[in-house]
Amino acid sequence: MEWLFLFCIGFFAATLGSIIGLGGGIIIIPVLTFMSQHTGFFNEITPQYAVGISTVTIVMTALSAFFANRKKGTIAYRMGIYLFIGAAPGAFLGAFANRFLDFSEFSFYYGVFLIVAAGILMLKSRIRPLHLKMRTYQNTYIDNQGMTHTYIYSPIIGIPLAFCVGFISGIFGIGGGTLLVPGMMLFFGVPAIVAAATSMFVILGTSVLNTVQQIAYDHIIWLYVLFLIPGAWLGGIAGPYISSKIKGRTIVILLQATMIIIGIQFIVQSFME
């Protein structure tokens, strides 16, 4: 029963994550830690194991989303490479810092992060791009209705932004798209569908690096990963398909509410341990 549950969680987290450019860890981590603390399932899970398992699963989510988004032509590769240059060292540092968090500290900081991230997602629809006065590169994207979107990006802003995203990705075992997608929209005026696809491209790179570290730290329970990965792979394919067919506003609202509720629960739990 618990193995079917893992498959379903992998599919749900990957589908939702790839629709809006997240890695899926924002679902997997709370579920695993909650089940470990409050049920008879997954008793071996610590924050470090939850992060390690989530990180490997995110690799499969991001990889399958990459192939789906590549066919749609929504990935801004050059911008993604610049962002990865910043995210890679941040991810390495974050994964190292995660080793020193106990359950109480992890619960508190993760809860705060979820609430802040939910607030950022609430503002995402109101984001208007800034006018940058520095060296920039210009890209264009033609959507499925034939409209041409032009946006600019600057490595000077993108690399530091990606470093922060990479650190959060490493320490909490999530993709980091919660910050990266709104950041691309705010600073560069990137269309939402391009921001989500490029975010998954960057997440693919950072999650591979994080996985190597988590393997070195022996923070992965491979039997759990074995059942999460098939669902994550299918979800990573389903997400981009669904995002091209429906408006994601209702899904985003549900995600925001879930993040706030889980965040509060984590913070309360941190004071009870």
Side-chain angles (χ1 to χ4, degrees), residues 6 22 29 34 40 48-49 66 74 78 89 92 116 123-124 128 141 150 157 173-174 205-206 214 217 234 245 249 257:
L6 285 172
L22 312 181
I29 300 270
F34 177 84
Q48 286 72 29
Y49 279 130
F66 166 75
T74 51
R78 186 173 181 179
F92 179 86
V116 171
L123 297 175
K124 189 170 75 168
R128 297 295 180 270
Y141 168 70
T150 301
I157 291 179
I174 62 172
T206 57
Q214 296 300 335
Y217 298 150
L234 294 175
K245 300 295 181 182
R249 180 170 176 77

Side-chain angles (χ1 to χ4, degrees), residues 7 10-11 14-15 18 60-61 64 228-240:
F7 175 88
F11 178 79
T15 301
S18 56
M60 303 310 298
T61 302
S64 58
L228 278 165
I229 280 180
W233 179 265
L234 294 175
I237 296 172

Side-chain angles (χ1 to χ4, degrees), residues 53-102:
I53 293 167
S54 172
T55 299
V56 179
T57 308
I58 289 171
V59 172
M60 303 310 298
T61 302
L63 185 61
S64 58
F66 166 75
F67 288 124
N69 289 322
R70 185 181 64 173
K71 291 181 180 179
K72 292 167 35 179
T74 51
I75 302 173
Y77 289 101
R78 186 173 181 179
M79 180 172 63
I81 290 171
Y82 278 123
L83 294 174
F84 176 73
I85 290 172
F92 179 86
L93 186 61
F96 178 78
N98 170 268
R99 302 172 64 193
F100 304 101
L101 294 178
D102 61 25

Side-chain angles (χ1 to χ4, degrees), residues 195-250:
T198 306
S199 170
M200 293 304 293
F201 174 61
V202 177
I203 286 169
L204 174 59
T206 57
S207 59
V208 168
L209 291 179
N210 283 340
T211 295
V212 172
Q213 280 187 275
Q214 296 300 335
I215 291 173
Y217 298 150
D218 196 23
H219 286 167
I220 299 172
I221 301 176
W222 289 103
L223 187 59
Y224 292 173
V225 171
L226 181 65
F227 286 91
L228 278 165
I229 280 180
W233 179 265
L234 294 175
I237 296 172
Y241 175 80
I242 293 172
S243 68
S244 67
K245 300 295 181 182
I246 65 171
K247 293 183 178 180
R249 180 170 176 77
T250 301

Side-chain angles (χ1 to χ4, degrees), residues 1-267:
M1 181 66 182
E2 58 191 272
W3 311 124
L4 177 61
F5 178 78
L6 285 172
F7 175 88
C8 293
I9 288 300
F11 178 79
F12 176 73
T15 301
L16 184 59
S18 56
I19 286 175
I20 54 180
L22 312 181
I26 212 160
I27 303 295
I28 295 172
I29 300 270
V31 170
L32 289 181
T33 53
F34 177 84
M35 296 290 285
S36 172
Q37 291 288 293
H38 302 288
T39 71
F41 298 106
F42 314 127
N43 293 327
E44 310 95 324
I45 296 294
T46 65
Q48 286 72 29
Y49 279 130
V51 167
I53 293 167
S54 172
T55 299
V56 179
T57 308
I58 289 171
V59 172
M60 303 310 298
T61 302
L63 185 61
S64 58
F66 166 75
F67 288 124
N69 289 322
R70 185 181 64 173
K71 291 181 180 179
K72 292 167 35 179
T74 51
I75 302 173
Y77 289 101
R78 186 173 181 179
M79 180 172 63
I81 290 171
Y82 278 123
L83 294 174
F84 176 73
I85 290 172
F92 179 86
L93 186 61
F96 178 78
N98 170 268
R99 302 172 64 193
F100 304 101
L101 294 178
D102 61 25
F103 225 119
S104 177
E105 292 172 329
F106 181 87
S107 297
F108 178 78
Y109 291 124
Y110 193 77
V112 170
F113 169 75
L114 285 178
I115 294 173
V116 171
I120 292 173
L121 284 175
M122 288 179 183
L123 297 175
K124 189 170 75 168
S125 62
R126 303 178 184 176
I127 288 174
R128 297 295 180 270
L130 300 176
H131 298 288
L132 303 175
K133 296 181 179 180
M134 57 187 67
R135 183 177 180 180
T136 57
Y137 299 92
Q138 181 173 300
N139 267 10
T140 58
Y141 168 70
I142 302 175
D143 62 24
N144 54 14
Q145 297 180 350
M147 294 184 61
T148 300
H149 303 265
T150 301
Y151 58 95
I152 59 175
Y153 62 93
S154 168
I156 296 176
I157 291 179
I159 291 175
L161 170 67
F163 177 87
C164 297
V165 171
F167 180 82
I168 291 171
S169 170
I171 197 169
F172 290 133
I174 62 172
T178 311
L179 301 178
L180 193 56
V181 172
M184 283 188 278
M185 294 171 65
L186 172 63
F187 291 109
F188 308 142
V190 179
I193 191 170
V194 177
T198 306
S199 170
M200 293 304 293
F201 174 61
V202 177
I203 286 169
L204 174 59
T206 57
S207 59
V208 168
L209 291 179
N210 283 340
T211 295
V212 172
Q213 280 187 275
Q214 296 300 335
I215 291 173
Y217 298 150
D218 196 23
H219 286 167
I220 299 172
I221 301 176
W222 289 103
L223 187 59
Y224 292 173
V225 171
L226 181 65
F227 286 91
L228 278 165
I229 280 180
W233 179 265
L234 294 175
I237 296 172
Y241 175 80
I242 293 172
S243 68
S244 67
K245 300 295 181 182
I246 65 171
K247 293 183 178 180
R249 180 170 176 77
T250 301
I251 296 174
V252 173
I253 291 174
L254 290 173
L255 177 63
Q256 291 165 353
T258 302
M259 289 166 65
I260 291 173
I261 293 170
I262 293 174
I264 293 173
Q265 189 269 334
F266 264 78
I267 293 173

